[in-house]
Amino acid sequence: MRTDPTRFARKLACAASFALVCVMAPAQAFAQESSPEQKFAEQVLPRLKEAAPSATYELGPNDPLQIKVTDHPKWEDATFNLHRIFGICSVSAAEECEAEIDRYVDAISETAPEFTPADLRIIVRDAEYWSFVERQLGRDGVLPAHRKIGDDLFAILALDTPNTIQVAAPKVIAELGLVPEVAWAKAHAQTKRVLAELPSAEALQESLMAFEGDAYVGTMLADLEAWKRISAQVGPDLMATAASDDFVVIGLIPDGESLEGFKEAVAEDCASAPRCLSPHVYRFRDGQWVIAD
């Protein structure tokens, strides 16, 4: 019998890694109005100052979760992005939130790592994340290599470090002696090695399949050529979810009551996840993942 799709509804555990985008930004000033975001930034700010007291920190006037940093001893003038850590703390107990803040501060206090080609990975993120990357990196035409893989999903070239996953700026790729196409192919191969094999058409006919891991599980959705072959074998009922980067569900669910119930379960999972990737259920159509309507 087909597995009941709603049994996969769960509160997602906090992943071990977090994304940090460290980029050039124009000068910013403190926001005037108090808000949960500003209060959170002001909670993190003293820890950043303690870790690097010689640096200057300013909260963004329109977005206090973007902290402008100058004269930092270990980073060039940069913007520290607190959005994901704020999201984690919004759904976590106080003790867990404190631990996450500590990990964040420790990570950005370390010397900027010296990357090698072995650090290259592919991540999958939603449109909101990509929009932030465009705002921060797109001004100077230095967007990382990326591919749109669905209505609101993007595969992005990234770099893996012990404490962070960060997008791979073209400057870093050039310093590695690689062109973007070669870097992408290497990243794809290296990410694939840490992932489970994509499900076969036969396995999908049996039941829904859940995949879990520490990170990069969402990247299973990035291999569009493979999914094109699988979709051709199993038909239009193929669906996938990526409520977080550590939990993906793939299976066959026809349109109707079962699918609608599953959509609700996925949305609930995403709302309670510290690092939600997407609240949507996707169908594979015309070579990409589209939001199931």
Side-chain angles (χ1 to χ4, degrees):
M1 294 179 62
R2 181 74 50 79
T3 302
D4 179 0
T6 60
R7 80 180 183 87
F8 285 103
R10 65 186 181 91
K11 183 175 182 180
L12 297 172
C14 182
S17 300
F18 57 87
L20 166 68
V21 180
C22 188
V23 296
M24 300 294 292
Q28 299 173 331
F30 282 95
Q32 298 299 313
E33 295 184 4
S34 179
S35 66
E37 290 81 3
Q38 179 166 335
K39 290 177 181 178
F40 180 77
E42 290 172 347
Q43 175 187 352
V44 177
L45 203 56
R47 303 193 191 187
L48 296 174
K49 291 180 177 178
E50 183 179 1
S54 64
T56 300
Y57 305 86
E58 293 181 286
L59 304 189
N62 300 315
D63 187 352
L65 294 178
Q66 293 182 20
I67 299 181
K68 166 68 177 176
V69 187
T70 55
D71 299 322
H72 195 284
K74 295 182 179 179
W75 300 92
E76 295 181 2
D77 292 357
T79 296
F80 290 162
N81 174 28
L82 302 182
H83 286 85
R84 287 187 175 270
I85 197 76
F86 175 73
I88 293 168
C89 286
S90 297
V91 296
S92 302
E95 185 175 309
E96 183 179 353
C97 174
E98 291 294 312
E100 287 290 338
I101 294 173
D102 286 343
R103 281 193 284 270
Y104 182 91
V105 174
D106 287 345
I108 62 176
S109 298
E110 295 175 352
T111 303
E114 293 185 8
F115 296 110
T116 72
D119 298 319
L120 289 166
R121 301 288 187 274
I122 301 295
I123 58 173
V124 166
R125 296 292 186 265
D126 66 356
E128 182 178 355
Y129 182 95
W130 179 247
S131 178
F132 172 77
V133 173
E134 286 186 312
R135 291 195 304 272
Q136 295 301 306
L137 298 178
R139 293 187 302 270
D140 302 320
V142 290
L143 288 174
H146 63 282
R147 297 175 185 176
K148 193 170 188 292
I149 65 168
D151 282 345
D152 63 345
L153 295 176
F154 293 82
I156 308 168
L157 187 64
L159 291 154
D160 184 271
T161 74
N163 293 308
T164 71
I165 300 169
Q166 65 184 68
V167 297
K171 176 182 177 182
V172 177
I173 299 306
E175 290 172 350
L176 294 177
L178 301 173
V179 296
E181 294 78 9
V182 173
W184 187 278
K186 185 177 288 290
H188 173 75
Q190 291 173 169
T191 311
K192 189 174 182 179
R193 286 201 290 268
V194 304
L195 297 175
E197 290 291 329
L198 297 186
S200 66
E202 292 75 17
L204 289 172
Q205 297 289 351
E206 296 295 325
S207 67
L208 296 182
M209 302 182 69
F211 299 85
E212 295 188 83
D214 291 334
Y216 302 111
V217 185
T219 305
M220 293 180 71
L221 304 186
D223 193 343
L224 297 182
E225 288 303 315
W227 286 113
K228 189 181 298 185
R229 293 191 295 270
I230 294 171
S231 177
Q233 293 176 300
V234 301
D237 290 343
L238 177 65
M239 72 86 214
T241 76
S244 84
D245 200 32
D246 65 0
F247 188 70
V248 165
V249 178
I250 300 165
L252 305 179
I253 303 180
D255 291 339
E257 185 176 348
S258 292
L259 181 63
E260 295 307 311
F262 192 55
K263 286 181 183 179
E264 293 179 7
V266 173
E268 290 173 2
D269 279 353
C270 186
S272 63
R275 296 181 179 88
C276 173
L277 198 162
S278 171
H280 301 302
V281 174
Y282 296 92
R283 295 290 200 194
F284 197 80
R285 299 287 187 269
D286 299 321
Q288 289 195 328
W289 296 104
V290 302
I291 298 171
D293 53 21

